[in-house]
Structure formats: C-alpha cells, structure tokens
Amino acid sequence: MLKKRIAASLIVKDGIVVQSIGFKKFLPVGKPDIAIEFLNQWGIDEIILLDISATKNNLEPNYEMIKNAALKSHVPLTVGGGITNVDQMRELMHCGADKIALNHAALTNKDLISKAAHIFGDQCVVVSIDAVKEDGEYKVFDYINHKVLDIPVNKIAVEFQNLGAGEILINSVDRDGSYLGYDIDLINSVCNVVTVPVICCGGAKNAKDFIKVFNETNVSAASAANFFHFAEHSVNITKSIVKKDMDIRLETYADYSDSSYDENLRLNKKTDEVLENMLFIRIEKDII
C-alpha cells in the first residue's frame, strides 16, 4: 500500500503567500520561496502553490515566481493559477513545476484537461474543485465570480477523471481557515466515486485532523495551508504524531519521538536538565 502523503498548500495573492479564511479574508504571510524553503526543511511530502489572483486579473502564470519557488523545492511541486492553454503548462514545467492544477479553466474549458493529459500524461494533471454545502448537497464554488454553481461535486469529479485528470484536489470553502477539521463527508463523496488519487484541503488544525481523515476516508494525501505557517517545525511534529497511527514518510533527523505535547498537540518544553544535555549531542544537518 502506498504511504499517505502530507502536503502543504500555499495560497498566493498578488505575489504573496496569504492566510485564507473562508475564501473571503486574506492575511499576508510572506514570500513563496521562503515559505517553500522552510517546508522543505521540515520534511513536507509535496507542495501545492495556487495563485488565486492570476485568473481573476486575467494574468498569465507568474513564471519568475515559479522559477524561484522551484529552486527552493526538493519535493513535487504542483502549480495552479492563470492557466488557460497547454503552452503555459509547458512553460511552467520548464520553470520547475512537476504537476499542473486546473480550477476555473477546468470548468470553462474542459477540453483543456484532455489535451494536457494527452501531452504531459495524466499524472501531471491535477483538477482542483472548490466545494460548499448548500441545502444538504455539496456543490461547486466558482471563486472567480464568488458564487455557488448548481453542479454536484461528486458528479463533476467523475467527469474530470474521465476527461483525463490524474488527481482530484478537493477544497472545502466552508472549512477554509476554520481549524474545524476536514469535511469527512465531502471527502468521501468524492473518494467513493473516483479511482484516481484524491487530495483534500480545508480545516486542518493539528495532527489529529490528519489521523482522522486518513482513517475515515481513502484520500491519498491531506494538505494544509494556514497552520503550517505559524508553528516552528509544524510539519515534523505533525508527522511524528501521525506516524504512530499509520505508515508515512519521516525522513528528518528531528522525529520528536521522545517529545510530549499539550492538548492542542503543541510541543511541550523539555526540562532544563534534558535541554542542557542536548547541547552535547551532535545533530547532522538534514538533507531532504
């Protein structure tokens, strides 16, 4: 069985990584290449960089930003935002992107999915679906026009798969920035109808949410954005806790296996005696 993956979503607005809350409020975090450098050092499995302002402003992808991001990334890098044709996809791959994410373009030009899969292979094509729950049903959310479409999420996921999508990225608008945990019902509504890998995003607060979604759904990867940015070594700590329940990659020297955590799964301070002894321990520099 393939190991579950822990991914990081970087939401980029006007060239800056932002903290997104409900797809409405955006708080600045920092430069994409710096965020990527830290995530790599902390042992993330893959990075998903989504430029939410490019399509809205009728701009092409920011190729220079992707070049700089790719130089810092030593894990698979998925890039989305501003993509309308295969020539742009080809240029993004020349800049260092490993996979391409289509969102608004997948809704307005479905043939683009098939063209991309034919040229680059379906393993390079990720289709991102933003979802909201309305009247008890999960429907597609159009983030460009900020409105709910009368399109069931599970049905469009199957259609995208049949067109050639190699992965489905499902984003919960309702849970975005909420720290309420992943929407298990939404994720299962997609996982139960497609056979391609599914990545989920929206609502993660700590390692408990990753354990829950891995145990209760068939997602191949769980992604988080906001909470990875605001706690040092957040990826390592999350992985060390999740690894106790299931098989995941953990390739950093800092595995936190002998650490304790508070009720929110934040790292507790070690005793002064332990910290003093640690001064004499040789720690090799991580090579991810």
Side-chain angles (χ1 to χ4, degrees):
M1 179 180 291
L2 294 175
K3 294 181 180 180
K4 300 292 187 180
R5 294 171 285 147
I6 292 181
S9 294
L10 297 182
I11 309 304
V12 177
K13 187 175 187 293
D14 300 323
I16 299 294
V17 176
V18 296
Q19 178 186 8
S20 174
I21 302 174
F23 280 45
K24 296 178 181 178
K25 187 176 181 180
F26 305 101
L27 305 175
V29 174
K31 295 182 178 180
D33 54 334
I34 294 176
I36 287 175
E37 184 174 16
F38 280 120
L39 289 166
N40 273 266
Q41 291 174 353
W42 295 342
I44 201 70
D45 292 329
E46 63 182 88
I47 294 171
I48 303 166
L49 192 156
L50 303 174
D51 186 343
I52 61 172
S53 54
T55 299
K56 199 161 191 175
N57 295 327
N58 294 314
L59 298 174
E60 285 200 48
N62 187 333
Y63 301 115
E64 192 63 29
M65 177 180 71
I66 302 306
K67 284 181 182 178
N68 293 333
L71 287 173
K72 300 290 186 179
S73 181
H74 305 297
V75 297
L77 176 65
T78 299
V79 174
I83 302 167
T84 58
N85 59 64
V86 293
D87 289 334
Q88 293 169 334
M89 297 181 193
R90 186 177 288 108
E91 182 62 26
L92 285 169
M93 290 188 176
H94 287 159
C95 291
D98 298 289
K99 293 185 281 187
I100 301 299
L102 301 175
N103 185 299
H104 190 260
L107 292 171
T108 57
N109 182 12
K110 294 177 182 177
D111 288 342
L112 186 59
I113 302 171
S114 300
K115 290 179 182 178
H118 177 72
I119 295 171
F120 306 110
D122 57 7
Q123 78 281 353
C124 293
V125 183
V126 179
V127 176
S128 174
I129 305 173
D130 300 323
V132 297
K133 193 171 187 179
E134 186 177 75
D135 300 326
E137 184 178 14
Y138 292 108
K139 295 183 179 180
V140 175
F141 180 76
D142 179 354
Y143 83 94
I144 296 297
N145 299 301
H146 219 78
K147 67 178 183 179
V148 181
L149 305 179
D150 191 22
I151 303 174
V153 168
N154 56 352
K155 290 184 179 179
I156 199 72
V158 173
E159 184 177 357
F160 287 154
Q161 174 185 261
N162 293 338
L163 287 168
E167 281 185 298
I168 301 293
L169 170 61
I170 184 72
N171 302 295
S172 173
V173 177
D174 301 319
R175 300 293 180 98
D176 180 53
S178 70
Y179 296 124
L180 295 175
Y182 295 104
D183 190 331
I184 301 298
D185 291 338
L186 166 63
I187 297 162
N188 276 326
S189 73
V190 175
C191 288
N192 292 341
V193 296
V194 299
T195 57
V196 296
V198 175
I199 307 171
C200 64
C201 190
K205 179 182 179 181
N206 55 40
K208 289 180 181 178
D209 295 321
F210 286 89
I211 293 171
K212 181 178 176 67
V213 77
F214 286 147
N215 282 331
E216 298 184 15
T217 75
N218 288 323
V219 289
S220 297
S223 186
N226 299 341
F227 104 87
F228 278 153
H229 298 310
F230 303 115
E232 188 174 1
H233 285 218
S234 51
V235 178
N236 309 62
I237 294 171
T238 297
K239 282 190 164 188
S240 68
I241 297 171
V242 174
K243 192 170 177 63
K244 296 175 182 178
D245 283 67
M246 62 199 62
D247 191 22
I248 62 169
R249 288 177 62 248
L250 186 59
E251 299 178 353
T252 58
Y253 289 105
D255 62 6
Y256 296 94
S257 58
D258 60 347
S259 300
S260 63
Y261 309 89
D262 64 17
E263 60 183 9
N264 293 314
L265 297 186
R266 289 186 175 274
L267 198 65
N268 287 324
K269 180 180 179 294
K270 295 181 182 293
T271 65
D272 291 339
E273 182 180 2
V274 170
L275 291 174
E276 186 174 352
N277 289 333
M278 288 177 68
L279 292 174
F280 303 98
I281 299 175
R282 178 181 173 84
I283 299 176
E284 300 290 342
K285 179 176 175 61
D286 276 342
I287 300 176
I288 307 299

